[in-house]
Amino acid sequence: MRLGVFVGCLVLVAVLVNLGWVPAGLGDANAAWVVLLALVLSAPLSFVLLRKQRDEMSAQIAGRVAGAKERLAANRSQEDAADDAARVSQ
């Protein structure tokens, strides 16, 4: 999705440069100028427009991390119980 926002900004900036509404850069730097300006525009747009998707992904990752921590704690307690049982039987 972020790539789509960047490509949209790239097309928009290229059109604006070709229409003369935005400066075309210096000398042969036109392509670099267009890409740089598209990056500068797409970053805040992505931050605002993709907030919902970012929050959903964060919640999904947080759930996975919590599940992994629970499984790790359960495995540790099983390992500790097995180790304690082995030491008692010796």
Side-chain angles (χ1 to χ4, degrees):
M1 293 179 122
R2 180 138 196 235
L3 182 62
V5 172
F6 170 71
V7 170
C9 287
L10 185 65
V11 169
L12 178 68
V13 169
V15 168
L16 292 176
V17 165
N18 284 336
L19 291 175
W21 292 3
V22 176
L26 299 173
D28 294 333
N30 188 25
W33 168 253
V34 170
V35 170
L36 181 63
L37 192 54
L39 281 171
V40 168
L41 289 175
S42 70
L45 283 174
S46 294
F47 184 75
V48 172
L49 296 175
L50 302 177
R51 176 171 287 159
K52 181 180 175 186
Q53 289 82 1
R54 186 176 54 249
D55 290 343
E56 289 174 1
M57 184 63 77
S58 176
Q60 186 179 24
I61 290 172
R64 287 183 185 173
V65 168
K69 284 183 179 180
E70 289 173 7
R71 286 191 301 275
L72 183 61
N75 287 343
R76 259 192 218 144
S77 66
Q78 286 178 348
E79 186 177 301
D80 289 344
D83 187 46
D84 291 342
R87 288 175 193 232
V88 170
S89 66
Q90 287 180 353

